[in-house]
Amino acid sequence: MALRTPRTLRGRLALMALATSALWIAVLTTVFNLALDQRLHEQAADVLRTRTEAVAATVDVRPDGRLVVREPTEDGALDAGVWIFQGARMVEKPPGAPAALDGQAQQLAGSREAFADAQGPDPWRLYSFPLDAPAVRGHAPTQAGTVVSAVSLDPYRNTAETALVGSIALAVLLLATFYLLTRLAVRRALRPVAAMSEQATRWSAAGAPERFGSEGRPTELAAFATSLDALLDRLAAVLRHEQQQAAELSHELRTPLSRITAETDWLIARPRSEQQTADSLETIAGAAAGMQQICESLLSEVRTRNTQTPGRCRFPELGYHLARLSAAQDAGRAPAVTVVTDGTLAGGTSPGVDIGVSQEVAERILIPLLDNARRYAARSITIGCVPRDSGVTVYVADDGPGVPEAFAASLFEPGRRAHPRDGHDGAGLGLALARRLARAAGGDIELDTAAPGARFEVTLPAG
């Protein structure tokens, strides 16, 4: 069955720490046991050399090559596992030595210093030491015999196996202890994070103004608290935005809805003439169209805010389309709309500019500006486009009285009108909706206070 990755961060951190610790402990355990095995082999070799040299010291080699073995008192320790050969002939052998071990010792007879291992149920290691005859004048010393000693490797093997089992058991115990301590430490370390997350959830749901702050916290938690505070600020801004949007929608729809209600009540109160009925129906249709425009503007702002592909349109085609809409809305009474495409006016407009929003969104942004210009223009309205390094600027200018200086600061606030009793419909939401939609599309709307009349500049992304 495949191992599943723990779902909790505590489990993942503990598992990662366990895996890292297991790797290092495995490496250390392996190195320790290899070093111990090497050391035990070296100790066995030292024992063999010491015993063989001690036995060789009790053997005299005569000039004629004969060996004379002196028998020291209590030489049982020396006789155990020792063979003495004169040439290939065995002079002395340990009592009770296995035949296989005798054969292995016989193979080492006559050789110089050498080690050999005898494999079997009981492993042994053997060592041969040469016995040289005294040198004769003019001749090099010759080897007269050989002392072979053997030692059982069972004690060393048992020691190595015991050390291996003990080191493995210690490694498992260390890993289990380390894993439990790591989980406890991680749980304690993450407890403030869990508490902060729960608080953030409660605060964001209730729109509470509390924030965590980074003062007095560890570096990691300070960064986490800063991120959570930023998230809470964004959520609070979204809540305020939604509340403001609902209030603005209710405020703006109230006027046309009241007009529809009044006209409907007036129609059904008593019989009307055909002309009066037609005028009332026209008024109701206009109010309904205004309500539809408001709803579509708000929906366009939401769609633009959530989309990643805002679309594209082209100027001057957009300007010509808006001019036709303006002429159709107030046929014969609307000021003349001029679309600037030859760069003769301020800004040096060049023909054919791509704008990085769809034509529908561009219209939703520019129509309130055009409506405002149509209300206050004396004779003419100008729609132009200026390409910039950072985007595109589309402006709507009129030759009217302009925006009062005292009102310019609150021009884009919802429900504000410079002249509430000027006889025009609306609740002062058009410019606020236009700016919101422009900002949702990655741009903005500003009033050029230095220009004559009223000139609104809309910055939008380039297409």
Side-chain angles (χ1 to χ4, degrees), residues 52 83-89 103-116 126-132 142-149:
T52 304
W83 292 260
I84 301 176
F85 294 91
Q86 183 173 348
R89 183 175 62 85
Q104 189 72 30
Q106 188 73 42
Q107 293 178 7
L108 292 174
S111 61
R112 306 297 294 178
E113 290 189 49
F115 287 95
L126 297 90
Y127 173 69
S128 63
F129 185 82
L131 298 174
D132 295 330
T142 59
Q143 182 174 344
T146 308
V147 176
V148 178
S149 62

Side-chain angles (χ1 to χ4, degrees), residues 332-410:
R333 292 176 295 173
V337 178
T338 303
V339 179
V340 179
T341 60
D342 58 0
T344 57
L345 295 182
T349 306
S350 59
V353 179
D354 289 328
I355 304 174
V357 297
S358 66
Q359 181 161 328
E360 178 187 0
V361 173
E363 290 178 12
R364 299 293 179 199
I365 296 173
L366 294 172
I367 283 178
L369 305 181
L370 192 58
D371 291 341
N372 192 75
R374 196 169 58 249
R375 290 173 183 173
Y376 300 106
R379 291 180 299 276
S380 65
I381 300 172
T382 303
I383 303 176
C385 180
V386 181
R388 307 287 189 188
D389 293 337
S390 58
V392 175
T393 298
V394 180
Y395 63 87
V396 177
D398 63 67
D399 59 351
V403 179
E405 183 177 354
F407 184 72
S410 58

